[in-house]
Amino acid sequence: MEDNDRISRLTAEQDLMKDPPEHEPERQYYFIKRCREIVKKKSEELGRPLTACSVCFGCQMNARDSEKLTGILESVGYQKAETEEADFVIYNTCTVRENANNKVYGRLGMLHNYKKKNPAMKIALCGCMMQEPGVVQKLKESYRFVDLIFGTHNIYCFAELLCRTFESDSMTVDVWEETDQIVEKLPVERNYTFKSGVNIMYGCNNFCSYCIVPYVRGRERSREAADILEEIRGLAADGVVEVMLLGQNVNSYGKNLETPVTFAQLLREAEQIEGIRRIRFMTSHPKDLSDELIAVMRDSKKICRHLHLPLQSGSSRILKRMNRRYDKEHYLSLVEKLRAAVPDIAVTTDIIVGFPGETEEDFEETMDVVRRARFDSAFTFLYSKRTGTPAAAMEDQIPEAVAKERFDRLLKEVQQIASEKADLLTGQTLPVLAEEINRQDAHLLTGRLSNNSVVHFPGTAEMIGTIRNVKLVTCKGFYYLGELS
Ligand code: SAH
Ligand code: SF4
Ligand code: F3S
């Protein structure tokens, strides 16, 4: 757990005979203490420890939020369960595409069966999907066995909500429409000891016409640079060597702070922190990618040789309808500038196929950008209609079969180029951060190059978290087999 001593002290200071404090984060520490007593009592009644399982869907930001949820569960006394057959299960949900929602409904059926076997089990749902009124309505009507529902804006109140759930027999629902609060310094349980996400901003103001994120994550709010840097220093002191700075549009970081700071300036400061060896960030929006940022990346020893720069479409006409605020030429010129400044950079992207009104010509424009930008990898998505977004109301929705056929063509092209590019590094020896034991073969470790490519190589558990020179012996398309040099 990050910062264990401070957490123990703040919890110990709370007086449960008094009313809960008004201020955050003290208020949550009060509820942590109260939950702790409840969990302890229940576990004594059952004669065994209580277990909790936290499952995360969605993006890196959700993953970081889930570490905060796990931090609370652990501080109130739950033991971590690897499966969902546990006393407490929480799903941190995503709603960026319709299939993300369907996945959650599907798994809830399974949880219901577990709960029939263990009636004391509590089920909680939070995250982006819960910010949609239609979803909460459906859960209230057809999924009465869910105990707690909350959203993205009040995630910092998890301890308080947990307490309310323990003290109530009915479904607790608390979803806020907005918040301007950023509550710092609550418990966090990291998934990895040596790397960590760091939120630098929350929300999004871009309103790309297909995207639900601004509606479920609220307006853009940047954290103070001093708080971010203090957090990174703390992580470094705790053994973290790689940080990933997180935001929906990191390039617009700091614009609304009282004393504005640019993202490039923040990176320069982060780079000074001793102990941090690698810095990554997600996600960059092409409309805000500055020359200053390219220069900082060029000059940096720590910023990884990777930029994820979502294209979405190669057609300027579609980009306009998507409200992306750049065109095909601008995007291509950014890639060119980046590659000129940082020759070994990997440029990756996200592409949506089948956006309303996309013609065969528009799609060919996307294919053209793919061929010219030569992405090192690309996530391709079928357009998914999200209720409430402007694109959902557009008339010329694309038939699924047409979109699917384009999707297959795109994927083939993207994979072909990615494997050709990856093969260029075969034979080189490069630093790899060893991240975990390989899931298929326990003699191998899995790690990443600075450019984010995956490498498997023979190694042992004590190497995890260290950076080693590895020779890339064979390229397998989107990963390498290597050996320590
Ligand atoms: N903030 C990031 C993206 C976050 S969502 C950015 O602007 O780049 C991650 C990806 O999901 C997006 O880049 C987009 O490609 C995809 N996506 C978002 N909404 C979608 C939708 N309605 N249908 C299909 N894909 C979508
Ligand atoms: Fe969605 Fe666009 Fe914001 Fe990314 S920048 S989260 S795609 S609205
Ligand atoms: Fe999904 Fe929410 Fe992230 S909708 S992509 S989890 S911000």
Side-chain angles (χ1 to χ4, degrees):
M1 179 98 65
E2 286 172 21
D3 229 349
N4 246 329
D5 293 346
R6 187 175 44 83
I7 290 161
S8 314
R9 178 175 49 77
L10 274 165
T11 314
E13 275 168 10
Q14 304 303 321
D15 182 353
L16 295 185
M17 306 307 278
K18 290 193 185 150
D19 285 342
E22 295 279 326
H23 276 102
E24 300 294 358
E26 291 76 8
R27 186 177 172 86
Q28 298 311 314
Y29 282 98
Y30 174 96
F31 285 107
I32 288 176
K33 193 167 185 176
R34 202 148 116 192
C35 285
R36 206 180 262 179
E37 296 198 342
I38 300 170
V39 169
K40 188 162 171 254
K41 195 162 148 257
K42 281 196 183 169
S43 134
E44 279 164 6
E45 281 165 16
L46 288 169
R48 61 172 178 83
L50 292 189
T51 58
C53 174
S54 154
V55 180
C56 183
F57 303 89
C59 63
Q60 307 273 359
M61 264 147 289
N62 251 24
R64 183 63 177 159
D65 283 346
S66 280
E67 293 185 343
K68 298 174 184 173
L69 298 170
T70 322
I72 300 287
L73 288 170
E74 193 159 296
S75 18
V76 306
Y78 278 105
Q79 281 192 0
K80 191 172 168 179
E82 295 303 330
T83 75
E84 287 143 274
E85 260 185 300
D87 299 301
F88 189 94
V89 174
I90 183 158
Y91 285 171
N92 190 10
T93 62
C94 171
T95 185
V96 76
R97 286 168 290 275
E98 187 61 33
N99 56 8
N101 292 37
N102 294 339
K103 223 186 281 175
V104 169
Y105 290 126
R107 277 169 84 149
L108 275 174
M110 174 189 76
L111 284 193
H112 195 191
N113 288 333
Y114 291 155
K115 191 166 178 167
K116 285 177 193 153
K117 285 194 263 169
N118 175 11
M121 178 181 180
K122 297 277 184 198
I123 298 172
L125 298 173
C126 68
C128 296
M129 198 176 146
M130 302 305 123
Q131 292 296 137
E132 289 179 274
V135 167
V136 175
Q137 197 52 37
K138 177 165 170 171
L139 291 166
K140 279 182 177 163
E141 280 163 14
S142 313
Y143 296 80
R144 293 298 311 168
F145 57 91
V146 173
D147 300 283
L148 169 63
I149 293 172
F150 59 101
T152 56
H153 301 303
N154 55 343
I155 186 166
Y156 71 85
C157 302
F158 182 40
E160 181 169 354
L161 293 164
L162 204 53
C163 207
R164 261 166 65 191
T165 310
F166 289 147
E167 288 165 356
S168 142
D169 288 330
S170 57
M171 190 190 242
T172 302
V173 181
D174 194 354
V175 179
W176 299 358
E177 270 184 31
E178 256 300 348
T179 184
D180 51 10
Q181 283 248 44
I182 296 183
V183 177
E184 306 263 347
K185 300 191 184 339
L186 283 164
V188 183
E189 175 66 22
R190 282 198 311 277
N191 290 336
Y192 297 89
T193 53
F194 56 88
K195 68 168 183 178
S196 180
V198 174
N199 298 107
I200 65 167
M201 60 207 297
Y202 301 95
C204 182
N205 283 355
N206 289 311
F207 291 96
C208 302
S209 63
Y210 51 82
C211 183
I212 201 165
V213 170
Y215 305 88
V216 297
R217 285 275 173 173
R219 293 296 60 72
E220 186 178 297
R221 286 148 286 147
S222 293
R223 284 176 73 196
E224 291 292 338
D227 290 334
I228 297 169
L229 295 167
E230 188 193 312
E231 179 174 340
I232 301 175
R233 274 185 218 106
L235 290 167
D238 206 26
V240 167
V241 293
E242 178 180 301
V243 286
M244 161 100 78
L245 309 183
L246 299 172
Q248 291 299 351
N249 176 10
V250 291
N251 296 332
S252 74
Y253 168 78
K255 287 190 179 149
N256 302 322
L257 287 172
E258 232 163 79
T259 339
V261 183
T262 65
F263 179 54
Q265 282 167 330
L266 179 73
L267 280 173
R268 272 203 203 96
E269 299 273 333
E271 169 127 33
Q272 304 302 317
I273 297 173
E274 224 170 289
I276 297 298
R277 308 266 308 270
R278 284 183 166 186
I279 302 173
R280 299 185 184 278
F281 51 85
M282 281 263 266
T283 302
S284 283
H285 193 304
K287 81 178 162 65
D288 297 311
L289 181 74
S290 65
D291 290 345
E292 189 195 8
L293 177 65
I294 298 178
V296 170
M297 290 186 83
R298 178 196 62 209
D299 298 338
S300 170
K301 295 255 171 328
K302 294 186 180 175
I303 300 173
C304 287
R305 286 359 215 172
H306 174 214
L307 190 79
H308 187 65
L309 193 64
L311 166 68
Q312 314 301 4
S313 168
S315 152
S316 297
R317 194 181 73 84
I318 294 292
L319 285 169
K320 199 165 185 120
R321 284 166 62 99
M322 286 178 160
N323 192 29
R324 289 290 285 180
R325 287 173 275 175
Y326 54 86
D327 60 14
K328 178 185 180 186
E329 284 65 38
H330 181 68
Y331 187 91
L332 283 168
S333 73
L334 286 176
V335 174
E336 209 168 294
K337 263 200 259 181
L338 275 161
R339 292 233 163 93
V342 191
D344 55 346
I345 198 165
V347 180
T348 62
T349 201
D350 292 346
I351 300 169
I352 298 175
V353 179
F355 182 83
E358 184 189 74
T359 61
E360 183 57 27
E361 289 71 41
D362 292 317
F363 176 69
E364 276 305 327
E365 295 280 310
T366 300
M367 292 289 268
D368 186 45
V369 176
V370 165
R371 290 183 195 117
R372 284 161 69 178
R374 295 191 62 77
F375 295 112
D376 294 83
S377 102
F379 293 109
T380 49
F381 304 108
L382 275 173
Y383 167 72
S384 168
K385 190 169 169 177
R386 307 312 291 128
T387 311
T389 61
M394 291 180 185
E395 274 171 9
D396 31 10
Q397 303 285 325
I398 303 294
E400 202 179 316
V402 174
K404 185 76 185 52
E405 189 272 331
R406 288 180 191 158
F407 180 91
D408 292 343
R409 269 192 281 158
L410 174 68
L411 188 64
K412 210 168 142 215
E413 189 72 37
V414 154
Q415 286 178 339
Q416 176 64 32
I417 294 170
S419 72
E420 283 169 21
K421 291 214 64 179
D423 202 27
L424 295 176
L425 294 185
T426 310
Q428 292 197 26
T429 299
L430 291 169
V432 172
L433 172 61
E435 301 200 340
E436 58 199 358
I437 306 264
N438 184 293
R439 289 175 196 168
Q440 266 93 51
D441 180 347
H443 303 292
L444 296 178
L445 292 177
T446 296
R448 277 177 197 272
L449 298 175
S450 170
N451 79 6
N452 210 36
S453 293
V454 170
V455 185
H456 307 293
F457 60 99
T460 49
E462 49 312 334
M463 291 178 193
I464 290 174
T466 64
I467 296 176
R468 305 282 171 140
N469 283 327
V470 176
K471 180 167 183 193
L472 309 176
V473 179
T474 356
C475 175
K476 294 278 184 185
F478 58 97
Y479 65 90
Y480 301 92
L481 296 177
E483 50 196 39
L484 286 163
S485 81

